[in-house]
Amino acid sequence: MTVNAPLEFKVCSSNQRTTAKDREAILANPGFGVHFTDHMASVDWTADTGWHNARIEPYGPLMLDPASSVLHYAQEIFEGLKAYRHADGSVWVFRPQANAARMQRSAERLALPPLPEAAFLDSIKALVQADKDWVPSAPETSLYLRPFTIANERFLGVRPAQKAAYYVIASPAGAYFPKGVAPVSIWVSEHYTRAARGGTGAAKCGGNYSASLLPQQEAQKEGCSQVLFLDALEAKYLEELGGMNLFLVRQDGSLLTPSLTGSILEGVTRASLIELAKDQGRSVEERKITLQEVQAGMASGEITEAFACGTAAVITPICAIKGRDFIAGHDDAPAGELTMQLRKALTDIQYGRAPDPHGWMMQID
Ligand SMILES: *Cc1c(COP(=O)(O)O)cnc(C)c1O
């Protein structure tokens, strides 16, 4: 592997910036993933020279050769993290080192070049600094950051690409639950799985998501908002949702979450909630959990709450888990008490409303 000198991000500012008036209009109602800032970060890679040409440039379409490997063999990985504006106007990012490390693990699995952690952090800093006016300040809003790496070699042969590119784009995000946190029901997929043993389940790659879209559609037809996948081998153990990890709360206030078996994505939110719960003196058990055990536990009252977690929504309460021949929980069940307490504890750190004892926040501006 090529050893790189530290990459310096050269800033080439956009001369077609969004006007302050248009930007304010967008930030007043940003939605999710529909508006993008004025700039993006880019770094090129070739097998010969390694990572080079780090820059902040105007946001815009990529020029891709139609034979680029990413378009044919989905050699692609991505990340998701957020920048938050605190009450004093300062801007912070939550645990970017964890995303940098995970992106390196994803890169390894997809035979893509790993971006050095320092370059990942610098790309985030440089982009957020260039577009800091795009970090919204209304409650529960943020600037969502989407780093990704694609194989862009012009070659149809099947082997790891010799050419790749890393980008970061940024999109202002509104409050995920503008009308208050609303519990969702989730559908257990009988026919489809997300990831098999030895597959790419633990890597954050686009291919996992394309495979989850049909089962997600099925869940929606069943009146559920998300799909819950079981393990591919025995269809017996809970794994995770299409893009969120899963937690259960027991009567004694302890937490239970599926252990990382290699087919589950290791969420930064998941890891952070485990730490926060342990800080509170709670026991957190990571192990294989059968669907049957959850059905019985929710019926008997042993399991009192369930929730999903990920960067986009932080914590989404789950009111019911449904399948072809069962319903656990109720459609109209309210959000769990501990669910909401943990959600507050984590968002208070992210928005600077509470101390940050683990040093999770990185100041950008
Ligand atoms: C990104 C992702 C998560 C959540 O990870 P966070 O780091 O908490 O955002 C969970 N499951 C899948 C499949 C994901 O892609």
Side-chain angles (χ1 to χ4, degrees), residues 1-8 43-53 113-116 118-119:
M1 206 198 305
T2 325
V3 176
N4 293 105
L7 289 163
E8 232 357 93
V43 190
D44 296 326
W45 179 88
T46 59
D48 288 343
T49 42
W51 292 104
H52 62 279
N53 194 19
L115 184 76

Side-chain angles (χ1 to χ4, degrees), residues 80 102 194 204 209 240-245 265 267-270 309-311:
R102 184 170 67 190
R194 195 189 79 90
K204 210 165 174 74
Y209 277 71
E240 62 170 317
L241 280 58
M244 286 190 274
N245 295 117
L265 198 285
V268 178
T269 317
R270 174 187 181 280
C309 69
T311 296

Side-chain angles (χ1 to χ4, degrees), residues 14 51 74 76 117 120-121 126 129 155 169 189-190 216-217 224 236 249 277 322 333:
S14 171
W51 292 104
E76 185 265 2
E117 177 181 303
F120 182 96
L121 298 178
Q129 268 162 6
F155 179 55
I169 54 176
S189 181
E190 220 171 276
Q216 170 68 26
Q217 215 170 28
C224 294
K236 198 170 143 189
V249 180
K322 304 183 189 181

